[in-house]
Structure formats: structure tokens, C-alpha cells
């Protein structure tokens, strides 16, 4: 999943759930972390409830839509 796809899904969710803008932004952040750092780091940085909520709202699955790690996460976290 690309950053553009994440932003499109977040824009749709913002329009559909105007009263939950903060929640949508937190979900978008989880997916952006998964894109930039890999799904393993995104799960490490967020609690399980936040990850599941982001997956549900944005229609994504971290383990299948994102790489396990990225060059940036290997540089920062060593994996």
C-alpha cells in the first residue's frame, strides 16, 4: 500500500466520520508508520487495539499490505 492510497482512504474516512476526525488521524498515522517502518515496528509502537482499529477503519491488513521491515527501520531498530 502506498502513501497515496493511505491518504485517499483517510480522506474518505474523514468525510464519512466527521465527528471522529482525531480517531481517523490516529488510524492514518498507524498505516503511515507501517509504510515507513514496516508492520513489525508499527505493531511495536502502537497497542493492539489501535492497530486493529486502523486496519478495520482503513480496510487494510498490516501483515499483508506492508513489508515486515524497511531500510529505515533496520537502521533505527536493527530489524
Amino acid at each position: 500500500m502506498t502513501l497515496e492510497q493511505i491518504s485517499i482512504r483517510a480522506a474518505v474516512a474523514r468525510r464519512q466520520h466527521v465527528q471522529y476526525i482525531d480517531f481517523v488521524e490516529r488510524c492514518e498515522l498507524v498505516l503511515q508508520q507501517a509504510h515507513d517502518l514496516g508492520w513489525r515496528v508499527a505493531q511495536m509502537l502502537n497497542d493492539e487495539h489501535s492497530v486493529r482499529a486502523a486496519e478495520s477503519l482503513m480496510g487494510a491488513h498490516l501483515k499483508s499490505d506492508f513489508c515486515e521491515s524497511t531500510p529505515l527501520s533496520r537502521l533505527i531498530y536493527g530489524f
Side-chain angles (χ1 to χ4, degrees):
M1 180 174 290
T2 66
L3 287 176
E4 182 180 358
Q5 291 171 321
I6 294 168
S7 66
I8 290 170
R9 290 178 187 213
V12 170
R14 277 190 206 94
R15 283 194 301 271
Q16 291 176 342
H17 305 287
V18 175
Q19 67 275 26
Y20 300 114
I21 295 294
D22 293 334
F23 175 70
V24 173
E25 288 176 0
R26 286 192 305 269
C27 292
E28 182 181 15
L29 178 64
V30 170
L31 294 186
Q32 287 173 347
Q33 287 173 342
H35 175 272
D36 295 340
L37 301 171
W39 66 260
R40 184 175 295 247
V41 174
Q43 285 186 326
M44 183 179 72
L45 296 175
N46 301 284
D47 63 21
E48 183 177 345
H49 177 74
S50 297
V51 171
R52 299 295 169 241
E55 289 177 329
S56 176
L57 180 68
M58 300 294 201
H61 188 259
L62 264 62
K63 289 184 179 181
S64 62
D65 291 337
F66 299 98
C67 298
E68 182 175 3
S69 63
T70 64
L72 182 60
S73 69
R74 287 189 289 276
L75 178 68
I76 295 171
Y77 296 98
F79 57 83

